[in-house]
Amino acid sequence: MQNLESEYRVEMTGISKSFGVVSVLDNVNLKIKHGEIHALLGENGAGKSTLVKILSGVHQKDAGQVVLNGKEINPKNTHDGQVLGISVVYQELSLVNDLSVAENIYLHKLGASKFWMNWKEITNDAQQLINSLGFEIDASAIVRDLSIVQKQVVEIAKALSEDTKVLVLDEPTTVFDPTDAQKLFDNLLRLKKEGMSIIYISHHLEEIFKIADSITVLKDGVDTGSMPVSEIDTDGVIRLMIGRELKDLYPTRTSKIGDDPIFEVKNLTAKDTLVHNVSFTVKPGEVLGIAGLGGSGRTETAKLIFGADKKKSGTLLLNGKEIKTNSPADAVGFQIGFVSEDRKEEGVFLPLSIRKNISVTSFSSIAGKLGFISVDKEYANVLSLIEKLNIKTPSSEVNVKNLSGGNQQKVALAKWLSIDSKVILIDEPTRGVDVGAKVEIYNLINEVAQKGVGVIVISSDMPEIMGISDRILVMHEGTIYGELPKEKFSEENILRYSIGKPLK
Amino acid sequence: MALTIKEQLSSPGGILKFLIKHNTIFIFILLVIFSALISDVFFTSVNLSNLLKQVSGIGIISIGMLIVILTGGIDLSVGSMVALLAVTFAILVNTVVLPLAILLTILIGFGLGSVAGYLVAFQKMAPFIATLALMTVARGLGFIYSKGSPITFKTAGGEFMSNFANNSILGIPNIAIVFFIIVILAMVMLRYNVFGRLIIAMGSNEEASRLSGIKVNKYKFLVYAISGSLAAIAAIVVASRTNLGSPNMGMAWELDAIAAVVIGGASLNGGKGTALNTLMGVLILGLIGNILNLLNVPSYPQQVVKGAIIIFAVLLQRFESK
């Protein structure tokens, strides 16, 4: 009975998905009507992107049912999704830099229909499409030469270049200023009137209340409810997004926090990223948490301090003395350590042994003047760290690529524990790590702090950052929006600051 | 701790695994046995000493190539550098005292390598492009300084070098001893020195190296400078052997050096390779040439066989990494 139109265009029911042992979505429902803008909300890692990727065919669901226009669908890849009329604008841009705007917009059609391309027609069509969105971009320009805002517009145009029935936008306005954002909203409202169903993912609650008709909130892979926007307010949404109990994962903080700061950051501003006017202090023995949404500049701030990104202005003080970190080598020289959030690309050397991974930062203590490594000292150092961190491995000669995520993360940490660091920056200490290893890593952070090190932890995991920090800074749009002392720790407060709202 | 050889052999499928893991050494041994069986001349001291003399020049630049390849780079300029530096050495031998001529040649090699290092490390030029450009520049300069013809040694210093290069100690040619010393130095540096650790780390993950506080640019610069210096030593060796410096020397040696490093199991992506295996790669290539010469195979079929061996060796390594 295909003609019998359902009230909903998209009905996702009972969707479950896990990656390995990690369950990302558990029995999630999402229903979207014809001509509706439906907001999908949730913290980082709540499963929003995975849900959308199941709809579009990037991932395959483990259980559940996806129904489009009353017919069950099972897209196996994004092409299947596109054919069904589902287009997604992802957070990370997916344009080909060396091709023109028009070529990018019609990339999926190139070579599909005819042997010869009619470039004039394609460029004209692309130009019309962009003009209809109200932005000024030359369709024959090369994408590489466009600004990030223009690239985002091209990405949206690309999604609309087909016969799109369901449009998904994942944080489309992060790069937009208010005027551009307003243009986008006008377009979305127009498309909605034309009958398109739009799924809108955003952290900006004010946007949601401006344009969305209804919302669905995800929390740790479970949907905590769907309702029309008219029936809820900002506080209600925040309540749905949080509301989980702290588990007994976190160690009792026992370290004595010193009086004078070990490390001070004053008005730090980046040259190439959005980070600006960041100021804070860390005391010896203190664990300082930095929270904020993805894209708020947390990682960039850490890299700026560590000298991996270029600074425009600002001062760093270590034990009251000014230091300059123009490169990571400088920072290491001042005994500052940095554990990257991107373990595989930036943290460990996958093809090398545990021993070679750990030793890479500690040559000053294991090698002599001419750089010859003392084998005894090296093994003593490495084996004691393997034991101390409880890295599960048959020997120190096992290549790091053969270890589990948790053990890899411990190797990344061990690199900085083998030297006497004064300050350690840890970006996402437990991403992709199982619960057992998490507890061990938390205890380790606690121990490091006890030695009088200033520990700065960046985390998207709210219970985690509240569980291990003495104080939390919350970043919003490239700078520190607010600071929370321990007695004010709550997911609601962190979330309020991270979306740029004052506390209640 | 690493498993002992005995443990490796006694584990299930151990012998096969052991053979695959050390395939370059076994290919080498098989080739030696094969050569000895099919040619009576092979195991004569004259032939073996000739073989060693022939491979020493390429062998020395192969070690430089290995160090560059370990960082994930490549140095195409070394063959032409050998020509330019051989000409340079011949001119210097005829004009200044020998120790100074040797020292200056090595310094010039270091300087030329530094140009490549500067372009790659500080100007972020692709190693392939930077050294390709230097390759043609060096070859051109070699022809300019020599006016297109070989320059023969005319002084007592030249005669000394020529004698040195053509004599042996205990049956081992002096120039092969120079080569072996360089191999041993490289083995020690790569295995026990911080320098070796750092370039292997850089080759396996450059960004992680940078974020571990390694001065990546400095070491990138250094490996090309070392490769240039080794090209200078190779140039001195080959010029002394023939008593002259010619701009036609070292033709396509960079490719033989890359082949030797690759046969030795190194990865062109960086981070993997050892000096001992590169030595094996050099000897394997030399052996193939030698035995085919003994069998009177003309040089064109020789090239085909060499190419086939490279493909075979790399396929074997893929098997190993599984």
Side-chain angles (χ1 to χ4, degrees):
Chain A
M1 305 300 270
Q2 252 183 280
N3 296 337
L4 218 158
E5 288 254 319
S6 147
E7 185 193 355
Y8 297 103
R9 170 165 272 153
V10 179
E11 290 172 87
M12 299 178 83
T13 38
I15 305 292
S16 296
K17 173 77 185 172
S18 17
F19 294 106
V21 292
V22 187
S23 169
V24 183
L25 294 174
D26 185 17
N27 201 15
V28 171
N29 302 306
L30 179 67
K31 292 182 179 174
I32 299 140
K33 294 176 191 163
H34 297 267
E36 179 191 44
I37 299 181
H38 193 110
L40 187 56
L41 299 167
E43 291 177 71
N44 296 328
K48 295 167 296 184
S49 297
T50 311
L51 186 62
V52 163
K53 283 179 175 168
I54 286 173
L55 178 63
S56 68
V58 176
H59 294 319
Q60 270 65 54
K61 57 187 185 297
D62 296 341
Q65 198 184 29
V66 183
V67 174
L68 181 73
N69 291 327
K71 244 175 102 182
E72 185 170 0
I73 58 163
N74 261 317
K76 291 273 174 290
N77 50 50
T78 47
H79 181 76
D80 287 2
Q82 279 173 354
V83 170
L84 292 163
I86 301 165
S87 289
V88 187
V89 178
Y90 293 107
Q91 223 172 328
E92 57 276 10
L93 299 177
S94 58
L95 300 175
V96 183
N97 269 324
D98 295 308
L99 297 183
S100 74
V101 170
E103 285 170 296
N104 265 287
I105 290 176
Y106 290 109
L107 193 60
H108 53 280
K109 285 189 183 157
L110 299 186
S113 49
K114 283 172 276 178
F115 186 73
W116 300 104
M117 302 303 305
N118 185 343
W119 290 116
K120 209 171 162 189
E121 190 186 305
I122 286 175
T123 312
N124 279 339
D125 286 358
Q127 193 68 59
Q128 272 179 19
L129 184 57
I130 291 169
N131 293 347
S132 75
L133 293 174
F135 289 89
E136 279 177 25
I137 302 168
D138 177 6
S140 56
I142 300 298
V143 164
R144 187 181 298 286
D145 301 330
L146 300 184
S147 73
I148 180 94
V149 175
Q150 290 174 317
K151 284 183 186 173
Q152 180 75 56
V153 173
V154 174
E155 192 83 49
I156 293 167
K158 186 177 164 185
L160 295 174
S161 70
E162 311 200 43
D163 188 16
T164 301
K165 306 247 173 23
V166 182
L167 175 67
V168 184
L169 297 155
D170 193 350
E171 294 277 355
T173 56
T174 0
V175 298
F176 283 179
D177 64 26
T179 336
D180 290 334
Q182 190 53 52
K183 273 192 208 167
L184 176 69
F185 298 154
D186 293 345
N187 279 307
L188 295 181
L189 293 171
R190 175 175 58 82
L191 292 166
K192 177 183 114 175
K193 256 188 209 141
E194 292 169 10
M196 194 180 279
S197 303
I198 298 169
I199 301 177
Y200 192 90
I201 301 177
S202 177
H203 289 305
H204 297 283
L205 294 186
E206 60 272 37
E207 288 183 359
I208 303 300
F209 284 98
K210 215 170 187 175
I211 61 163
D213 300 306
S214 41
I215 61 162
T216 294
V217 179
L218 289 185
K219 171 72 187 164
D220 287 342
V222 180
D223 64 309
T224 51
S226 297
M227 61 202 65
V229 159
S230 52
E231 290 177 15
I232 197 166
D233 58 3
T234 313
D235 294 335
V237 171
I238 290 177
R239 223 176 300 125
L240 282 178
M241 285 168 76
I242 55 181
R244 158 187 44 178
E245 280 178 66
L246 286 187
K247 290 176 196 112
D248 204 16
L249 283 172
Y250 309 102
T252 326
R253 298 278 297 115
T254 48
S255 79
K256 280 196 195 105
I257 300 174
D259 297 325
D260 299 322
I262 189 166
F263 188 59
E264 288 171 77
V265 176
K266 288 183 180 164
N267 293 316
L268 194 62
T269 298
K271 206 172 165 191
D272 306 315
T273 62
L274 76 173
V275 176
H276 62 277
N277 295 321
V278 170
S279 302
F280 63 84
T281 62
V282 195
K283 290 173 178 161
E286 184 181 36
V287 178
L288 176 68
I290 299 184
L293 300 170
S296 60
R298 297 166 307 175
T299 297
E300 290 82 357
T301 301
K303 286 196 167 176
L304 204 57
I305 292 169
F306 191 61
D309 285 351
K310 288 215 169 69
K311 297 177 193 67
K312 194 165 150 198
S313 58
T315 324
L316 303 179
L317 299 174
L318 185 66
N319 284 323
K321 272 188 221 144
E322 184 171 347
I323 59 166
K324 294 242 183 276
T325 55
N326 294 322
S327 69
D330 290 348
V332 174
F334 290 114
Q335 293 165 291
I336 297 172
F338 171 63
V339 180
S340 167
E341 63 172 337
D342 191 343
R343 184 163 59 229
K344 291 195 158 99
E345 295 295 325
E346 302 181 343
V348 294
F349 304 93
L350 290 174
L352 302 184
S353 66
I354 297 174
R355 174 171 59 90
K356 287 181 177 173
N357 264 275
I358 293 179
S359 293
V360 81
T361 50
S362 55
F363 291 126
S364 55
S365 61
I366 60 169
K369 265 192 183 143
L370 288 170
F372 285 97
I373 298 162
S374 154
V375 179
D376 291 348
K377 276 190 197 165
E378 180 176 27
Y379 275 105
N381 180 44
V382 169
L383 293 176
S384 78
L385 279 164
I386 288 177
E387 197 185 314
K388 183 157 179 271
L389 272 65
N390 198 14
I391 298 171
K392 289 177 190 73
T393 173
S395 95
S396 62
E397 302 311 300
V398 170
N399 289 344
V400 169
K401 69 173 171 212
N402 298 326
L403 300 178
S404 70
N407 284 306
Q408 286 182 358
Q409 184 68 5
K410 288 186 201 166
V411 171
L413 284 165
K415 227 167 50 174
W416 299 109
L417 299 181
S418 66
I419 55 174
D420 287 325
S421 300
K422 293 202 168 108
V423 177
I424 297 187
L425 301 147
I426 308 175
D427 196 355
E428 300 292 353
T430 63
R431 178 177 286 174
V433 165
D434 61 275
V435 178
K438 267 187 187 175
V439 175
E440 288 175 341
I441 289 170
Y442 297 146
N443 286 328
L444 208 64
I445 290 172
N446 200 19
E447 250 175 65
V448 171
Q450 266 172 16
K451 288 197 291 185
V453 177
V455 183
I456 301 166
V457 175
I458 296 169
S459 178
S460 303
D461 186 334
M462 293 226 205
E464 167 176 296
I465 202 156
M466 292 193 288
I468 60 177
S469 309
D470 296 310
R471 192 155 55 93
I472 295 176
L473 306 173
V474 185
M475 289 194 76
H476 173 65
E477 293 180 348
T479 196
I480 290 168
Y481 188 85
E483 178 178 328
L484 296 168
K486 192 134 200 164
E487 59 275 12
K488 289 215 170 150
F489 282 5
S490 75
E491 295 200 22
E492 177 171 349
N493 286 348
I494 294 175
L495 205 60
R496 283 191 157 270
Y497 274 158
S498 34
I499 58 174
K501 293 241 182 252
L503 300 188
K504 274 208 292 188
Chain B
M1 301 290 141
L3 295 172
T4 65
I5 289 175
K6 209 173 170 185
E7 280 166 344
Q8 286 180 37
L9 288 176
S10 57
S11 69
I15 293 176
L16 188 66
K17 275 188 200 154
F18 186 79
L19 286 178
I20 290 169
K21 193 173 175 198
H22 300 278
N23 66 70
T24 36
I25 295 174
F26 286 100
I27 293 175
F28 173 70
I29 292 172
L30 282 178
L31 273 173
V32 170
I33 296 170
F34 177 74
S35 309
L37 288 177
I38 60 169
S39 166
D40 303 334
V41 197
F42 179 75
F43 256 123
T44 58
S45 63
V46 178
N47 182 51
L48 289 181
S49 129
N50 266 340
L51 169 62
L52 286 178
K53 278 185 199 165
Q54 274 162 10
V55 299
S56 292
I58 289 179
I60 293 168
I61 62 168
S62 298
I63 295 299
M65 186 68 76
L66 168 71
I67 292 170
V68 173
I69 284 178
L70 279 175
T71 66
I74 199 140
D75 189 350
L76 298 178
S77 68
V78 286
S80 302
M81 291 246 246
V82 166
L84 172 59
L85 292 161
V87 168
T88 308
F89 182 62
I91 295 172
L92 285 169
V93 157
N94 292 342
T95 46
V96 299
V97 293
L98 183 62
L100 190 59
I102 293 175
L103 187 70
L104 282 176
T105 307
I106 295 175
L107 280 179
I108 292 168
F110 185 89
L112 290 169
S114 301
V115 175
Y118 168 77
L119 293 175
V120 172
F122 298 105
Q123 294 300 327
K124 312 290 172 210
M125 211 182 263
F128 190 97
I129 305 298
T131 59
L132 181 71
L134 277 175
M135 170 173 117
T136 56
V137 168
R139 183 69 66 184
L141 286 176
F143 276 97
I144 292 171
Y145 287 128
S146 64
K147 299 190 179 66
S149 47
I151 297 169
T152 41
F153 293 180
K154 294 185 184 104
T155 55
E159 199 178 324
F160 174 83
M161 283 311 285
S162 173
N163 283 334
F164 171 81
N166 288 295
N167 281 335
S168 310
I169 296 173
L170 301 172
I172 304 171
N174 289 340
I175 58 174
I177 293 175
V178 173
F179 171 39
F180 291 149
I181 289 173
I182 288 168
V183 171
I184 291 165
L185 279 178
M187 280 171 70
V188 172
M189 291 302 284
L190 290 179
R191 199 180 278 222
Y192 297 109
N193 197 280
V194 173
F195 175 79
R197 279 296 176 78
L198 294 187
I199 64 172
I200 288 169
M202 274 167 57
S204 68
N205 189 340
E206 190 168 321
E207 189 56 18
S209 306
R210 197 171 76 93
L211 293 178
S212 299
I214 298 174
K215 290 173 180 158
V216 170
N217 288 342
K218 173 182 147 186
Y219 288 96
K220 262 195 189 175
F221 173 84
L222 268 180
V223 293
Y224 289 92
I226 290 171
S227 177
S229 311
L230 288 172
I233 295 174
I236 293 170
V237 162
V238 293
S240 302
R241 222 185 117 210
T242 48
N243 208 28
L244 54 82
S246 155
N248 286 312
M249 282 173 162
M251 210 55 100
W253 276 20
E254 63 279 348
L255 301 181
D256 278 348
I258 295 168
V261 172
V262 169
I263 290 173
S267 160
L268 284 186
N269 295 327
K272 185 167 169 274
T274 68
L276 182 65
N277 277 331
T278 296
L279 170 66
M280 290 302 142
V282 169
L283 292 177
I284 287 169
L285 275 182
L287 257 178
I288 295 167
N290 183 260
I291 191 68
L292 294 176
N293 276 339
L294 293 180
L295 296 174
N296 289 323
V297 177
S299 73
Y300 296 130
Q302 282 196 25
Q303 292 178 2
V304 176
V305 174
K306 265 192 196 175
I309 293 278
I310 296 171
I311 293 172
F312 177 68
V314 173
L315 285 179
L316 213 70
Q317 284 150 21
R318 190 174 310 162
F319 195 48
E320 165 200 5
S321 60
K322 270 177 192 166

